[in-house]
Amino acid sequence: NQSIATKTLGLVKRAKGQAPYIMTGGVASNVGVVKALEKELGEPIYVPPEAQLCGALGAALFAL
């Protein structure tokens, strides 16, 4: 969990990400990763109930 959080933090910094944060995808269901990333960021992360579907929904809307 910590390894994934550290790697993600590097990506957030390179992309100049800013709060508020949202996490989508299957990994967002892993509470340990979310908590570790929140600790690294020093900010809460919103995880929508349908986090694993967000990418598919976005792709479907884009294709539409």
Side-chain angles (χ1 to χ4, degrees):
N1 293 345
Q2 187 58 48
S3 176
I4 293 170
T6 301
K7 176 72 174 173
T8 303
L9 179 64
L11 296 171
V12 169
K13 286 183 176 181
R14 282 200 325 225
K16 296 183 173 79
Q18 299 176 359
Y21 296 103
I22 183 170
M23 188 170 180
T24 63
V27 178
S29 299
N30 183 329
V31 177
V33 171
V34 174
K35 293 295 179 194
L37 188 53
E38 285 178 330
K39 185 176 178 184
E40 291 285 338
L41 291 168
E43 296 282 344
I45 299 173
Y46 173 71
V47 178
E50 66 286 347
Q52 72 279 7
L53 298 177
C54 289
L57 291 172
L61 289 171
F62 184 74
L64 182 66

